[in-house]
Amino acid sequence: MKLISYNIQYGFGSDGRYDLSRAARIVDGADIIALQEVERHWQRSNFDDQPELLSRLLPDYHWVYGPAFDMDASERRDGGLINRRRQFGTMLLSKLPIVWSRLHALPMHRTLRPLNTRNAALECMIRTPAGPVRVLSLHLAHIAVEERLEQIDYLLAEHRRAPSEGGPWSGADDEPSRNWTHGEAEPENPLAAIWLGDFNMEPGSDEYRRIVGGTPYHRGAAYIDGFVDAAAVAIEAADDFHTHEKIIDGRLAKRRLDHCFVGGMFAGRVRSVGSDMGQVASDHFPVRVDIDLDTPPGLGGR
């Protein structure tokens, strides 16, 4: 299956032009698409409902939107109230049905300066041929290492208790007349997970090691309840790539801030990882991941 993660910078390219369709064309065709910096009803983007517009541009996908930033944007028109919310967050699109989803509001530190905004992780459970998988589209804090570490600790704790916590509902329906379950079996909340997104951190950083662990003598060591960097374990070794360029202290910095981390059980299933360097549809470059989720357990991988 082909996965892609892309911080679309609310449709504004590195050329300063607003064009949401450019980002949609880049991601179209992937099996699972994780987007960050998607917004609704902002003046800067013509008050567009970007999740709705993206769903029209990508009509073959199931999708969920998760707003981290939510403010009133209502107005009165012709004597009536038009209720709207000004939102900013993450989105996930999938060719396979998204069985359930939930939004995690991540820990945040109040600042005096610069501006800090709420971050979130959108979690979606998808049934693949390799089994049920929780796929997260997330965006971590851009200011401080300490804030990102708290956010990662929160997500790791949520990850490790997922199987015992269960999904949206669990247990036998003792009120069948109310049809809570719609006749469906209890939905899975598996340990298997994939994290995609803008982590605002580079390989080797404290935050990076908090996710993959410190295993200097065993590169790509995979714990069953932990994560590995897909780029570090890809069967086709990833070329050196970056996902963001910025002038810092007068020099052009080329950084890999966007990542895919896969649960330990998928460490042998990652085929390739890379980025579309040079794309101008955003200030980030999209990350592409080819991972074998099309083969049932026990029949694929290394």
Side-chain angles (χ1 to χ4, degrees):
M1 295 182 72
K2 297 186 184 302
L3 286 64
I4 190 165
S5 179
Y6 197 13
N7 179 331
I8 66 170
Q9 193 182 224
Y10 37 94
F12 279 88
S14 57
D15 57 2
R17 185 161 65 88
Y18 175 58
D19 185 353
L20 205 59
S21 65
R22 293 191 297 185
R25 286 194 295 270
I26 290 169
V27 301
D28 195 10
D31 297 292
I32 296 175
I33 302 167
L35 302 178
Q36 301 85 45
E37 295 198 8
V38 182
E39 63 187 28
R40 276 181 166 145
H41 305 138
W42 287 68
Q43 183 180 26
R44 63 191 177 197
S45 51
N46 303 328
F47 297 99
D48 285 344
D49 185 336
Q50 292 189 343
E52 182 63 30
L53 289 175
L54 286 164
S55 74
R56 294 178 194 170
L57 291 165
L58 300 163
D60 297 326
Y61 290 86
H62 306 268
W63 64 276
V64 177
Y65 176 64
F69 185 114
D70 181 88
M71 298 288 292
D72 179 53
S74 302
E75 64 176 77
R76 290 197 174 273
R77 188 184 303 168
D78 300 326
L81 175 67
I82 299 176
N83 183 77
R84 293 188 311 190
R85 308 299 302 174
R86 179 161 58 94
Q87 297 176 328
F88 182 85
T90 57
M91 187 175 181
L92 194 132
L93 303 96
S94 171
K95 288 187 175 180
L96 293 170
I98 298 170
V99 179
W100 60 258
S101 72
R102 62 175 173 168
L103 185 67
H104 299 274
L106 300 179
M108 175 181 175
H109 286 240
R110 187 178 181 185
T111 56
L112 293 173
R113 62 181 182 183
L115 176 72
N116 200 11
T117 56
R118 177 71 65 184
N119 297 102
L122 175 62
E123 179 180 15
C124 296
M125 202 284 283
I126 300 169
R127 294 188 181 115
T128 75
V133 182
R134 292 180 295 109
V135 183
L136 276 69
S137 176
L138 60 88
H139 194 180
L140 299 188
H142 71 286
I143 297 178
V145 170
E146 292 78 11
E147 191 168 358
R148 288 192 290 275
L149 287 171
E150 285 191 31
Q151 293 173 343
I152 290 166
D153 287 342
Y154 169 89
L155 289 170
L156 286 173
E158 287 290 315
H159 165 68
R160 287 170 177 145
R161 66 169 163 255
S164 61
E165 185 179 68
W169 56 267
S170 60
D173 190 353
D174 58 349
E175 293 183 298
S177 63
R178 296 180 181 270
N179 200 20
W180 284 104
T181 68
H182 278 230
E184 299 176 2
E186 179 183 332
E188 306 94 331
N189 194 3
L191 186 62
I194 298 172
W195 291 1
L196 295 156
D198 178 359
F199 289 76
N200 275 309
M201 67 185 190
E202 296 187 76
S205 64
D206 290 345
E207 310 96 287
Y208 180 90
R209 289 195 299 270
R210 185 67 60 89
I211 296 173
V212 302
T215 55
Y217 303 112
H218 298 278
R219 182 175 178 270
Y223 288 92
I224 190 66
D225 65 345
F227 288 90
V228 296
D229 180 356
V233 297
I235 294 171
E236 299 173 16
D239 294 330
D240 185 33
F241 67 92
H242 59 277
T243 66
H244 188 261
E245 296 180 357
K246 185 176 182 179
I247 301 296
I248 300 177
D249 296 329
R251 300 180 62 183
L252 178 63
K254 298 180 178 181
R255 302 177 294 171
R256 179 150 66 97
L257 304 180
D258 307 79
H259 304 271
C260 172
F261 294 98
V262 301
M265 64 287 293
F266 297 132
R269 287 177 172 259
V270 180
R271 301 297 174 184
S272 63
V273 182
S275 73
D276 294 353
M277 291 181 290
Q279 287 287 355
V280 299
S282 170
D283 64 334
H284 284 246
F285 304 138
V287 176
R288 294 186 183 273
V289 183
D290 192 347
I291 180 171
D292 180 13
L293 297 178
D294 295 314
T295 306
L299 299 179
R302 282 190 299 205

